[in-house]
Amino acid sequence: MSDFAVARLFDSGTLAVRDVLCGGQCRHRSQEECASSTHLVFPYRGLYLRHVGQDQSVADANHALLFNAGEGYQVSHPVSGGDASLVLALSEPLLRELAPAELLQKRDQLGFRLQSLRIDARAQALVALLRHNLQLGRIETLEAESLALTLVCRSLGPRTTHITAATHARRRLVDRVKVLLAADLTRRWTLEEIAAEIGGSAVYLTQAFQQVEGLPLYRYHLRLRLARALDRIPHSQDMSALALDLGFSSHSHFSAAFKQAYGRTPSAFQRSALAKSA
């Protein structure tokens, strides 16, 4: 049985959206694969690593991964439970128009210079709204295209992305922290506990994480938990139970954090995701 399940959610000819689920059974590097087209991948559940040569990038809900046509890569799954991603493939003229020149390679063939970019909370919400509404069939073609293009612009835009100048060693250290957080997403970590697991001092880890990701470690972890909420809210009947299941101390704590990140309460987001065209 294949470790992948691919659902084609939308295709207008110039823009296609797929939902890709992976069982994550390959703990070590897979055999090399090659992308057939340049596209963007938005993980929304779980975590995996993508390896391009000696470089690697963490694929989690705080990032968009940038795949180039014809470029070889490998993946590994250091965390059990599998993963899920929303994949956006745009026509070359459309992507060239939307992508800032500084993110593209200086060559005739379209390609990105980077493996991944960190996205902000609004982009996370756009990923969830696009996926939920396409899955439910409650969105018109024009609206789906507009929402997808807004997501791409938001994710590639200079105001919301963060490109690090940190050393290779610091980036690998921070990658280990990300894997640790994803392995037990609902745990209420302390800095000392993370430092004990990873090695090094809490102060150094805090400084390294801030440099690599451009935001504090605690906020990064919070956004991962809130992104998991975006995935589960449309199917949740009890928001208090969901809050506790995601590691929040109470429903009010969860609701306040969710509203601060996404501009609406969990219940309001659920209504927008389920009744968009009702």
Side-chain angles (χ1 to χ4, degrees):
M1 178 180 291
S2 173
D3 201 26
F4 286 91
V6 180
R8 301 182 184 276
L9 302 182
F10 180 79
D11 192 341
S12 67
T14 58
L15 190 154
V17 182
R18 293 174 292 154
D19 190 25
V20 179
L21 309 181
C22 178
Q25 298 178 10
C26 181
R27 296 298 296 271
H28 303 289
R29 286 196 185 201
S30 66
Q31 293 186 348
E32 187 170 87
E33 305 173 51
C34 189
S36 59
S37 64
T38 300
H39 57 272
L40 288 78
V41 174
F42 297 90
Y44 63 86
R45 186 191 312 149
L47 175 146
Y48 65 93
L49 300 179
R50 183 175 65 137
H51 311 270
V52 179
Q54 297 302 310
D55 199 9
Q56 76 175 26
S57 54
V58 173
D60 64 18
N62 282 331
H63 289 86
L65 271 70
L66 312 175
F67 283 72
N68 293 329
E71 184 174 68
Y73 67 92
Q74 299 168 290
V75 298
S76 60
H77 298 84
V79 176
S80 61
D83 56 81
S85 300
L86 195 71
V87 179
L88 268 64
L90 287 71
S91 67
E92 182 170 330
L94 189 58
L95 189 53
R96 282 192 182 276
E97 185 175 354
L98 293 175
E102 58 269 23
L103 291 183
L104 298 178
Q105 297 175 350
K106 297 184 182 301
R107 62 181 188 181
D108 292 336
Q109 184 178 0
L110 177 66
F112 291 103
R113 292 195 302 107
L114 304 173
Q115 279 203 56
S116 67
L117 290 169
R118 182 173 55 77
I119 60 174
D120 67 355
R122 183 179 174 188
Q124 288 179 332
L126 289 169
V127 170
L129 285 173
L130 179 62
R131 181 173 63 87
H132 291 314
N133 281 285
L134 285 175
Q135 288 176 333
L136 293 170
R138 294 179 175 177
I139 186 170
E140 299 292 336
T141 298
L142 184 60
E143 185 178 5
E145 288 180 317
S146 298
L147 193 58
L149 294 184
T150 300
L151 171 58
V152 173
C153 290
R154 184 81 186 180
S155 302
L156 300 181
R159 291 181 301 173
T160 54
T161 57
H162 172 73
I163 301 175
T164 181
T167 64
H168 176 81
R170 279 202 166 193
R171 287 187 283 116
R172 284 300 179 94
L173 177 67
V174 169
D175 285 351
R176 291 170 56 200
V177 176
K178 295 174 186 176
V179 171
L180 179 67
L181 296 178
D184 193 354
L185 192 59
T186 63
R187 178 171 171 175
R188 297 176 189 175
W189 292 94
T190 68
L191 286 174
E192 290 297 334
E193 289 171 341
I194 295 173
E197 291 284 346
I198 299 298
S201 72
V203 172
Y204 180 77
L205 284 179
T206 301
Q207 293 172 342
F209 206 96
Q210 179 73 44
Q211 182 187 25
V212 172
E213 287 300 325
L215 79 169
L217 197 160
Y218 78 88
R219 189 175 299 171
Y220 188 96
H221 184 221
L222 175 62
R223 285 188 182 176
L224 286 180
R225 290 192 290 157
L226 291 174
R228 189 71 180 99
L230 289 172
D231 177 35
R232 294 179 55 182
I233 279 175
H235 314 291
S236 297
Q237 301 298 320
D238 187 337
M239 292 298 171
S240 295
L242 176 62
L244 295 177
D245 194 36
L246 292 174
F248 291 92
S249 58
S250 65
H251 175 267
S252 60
H253 178 209
F254 166 54
S255 185
F258 191 96
K259 186 174 182 179
Q260 183 177 29
Y262 304 123
R264 65 188 81 180
T265 65
S267 297
F269 180 85
Q270 184 182 59
R271 289 192 296 270
S272 66
L274 295 179
K276 184 72 176 177
S277 302

